[in-house]
Amino acid sequence: SAVISQKPSRDICQRGTSLTIQCQVDSQVTMMFWYRQQPGQSLTLIATANQGSEATYESGFVIDKFPISRPNLTFSTLTVSNMSPEDSSIYLCSARQSDEQYFGPGTRLTVT
Amino acid sequence: GENVEQHPSTLSVQEGDSAVIKCTYSDSASNYFPWYKQELGKGPQLIIDIRSNVGEKKDQRIAVTLNKTAKHFSLHITETQPEDSAVYFCAASIHGQNFVFGPGTRLSVLP
């Protein structure tokens, strides 16, 4: 299995600012993903973080709002840009090994 | 595309009783079905999975069954304990690609 860590675990940010979330996997993985989870809701895929190329975004999510980097096979970042209160959520990093997909502990973001 | 439904949305059981959560999927090509447990303030944890070439899989107190014909799969927890209280998510995918998650079931185990 893959062990995933995220930083920060939580943050409170001002409207209009940006926050970068870091994700570190303890082993090389082929695929990494970023999800958003609203309180009491299921998991919504934001994008697939592609190593060495631009991320692949799901419908409703755009690169200008959620720029993603993946410089190598164990690390990725998600930036939430120009934040508004609607961006308050839990952001989860995920990694896939073979068929199995694992999740990090999440970053709880509150925008005031 | 794939659609995954999950029932019930909430479930309360007495400690020691069994709990069953059921999911249905729409794409007959889906062949990998994991279950995740998410405790408060934590990320989802993979607890058990099943592939389409088997009908049942067990791991201590938890088991998963799959009915490919009816396109549904279920999580069974026996001898429930308070630490089983969490939100459980099912998912379906094709060869580990394009995971689609169910809406979740909040399980409460009452002492």
Side-chain angles (χ1 to χ4, degrees), chain A residues 31-34 45-50 54-58 68:
Chain A
M31 301 185 79
M32 294 182 72
F33 308 89
W34 288 97
L45 180 62
I46 297 172
T48 301
N50 300 309
E54 194 171 284
T56 304
Y57 290 84
E58 297 298 305
I68 288 170

Side-chain angles (χ1 to χ4, degrees), chain A residues 37 42 96 99-101 103-104, chain B residues 32 36 38 43 51 96 99 102:
Chain A
Q37 186 178 32
S42 189
R96 192 172 293 165
D99 287 351
E100 299 173 355
Q101 189 160 329
F103 288 86
Chain B
Y32 176 64
Y36 292 85
Q38 187 174 27
R51 290 170 173 79
F99 277 54

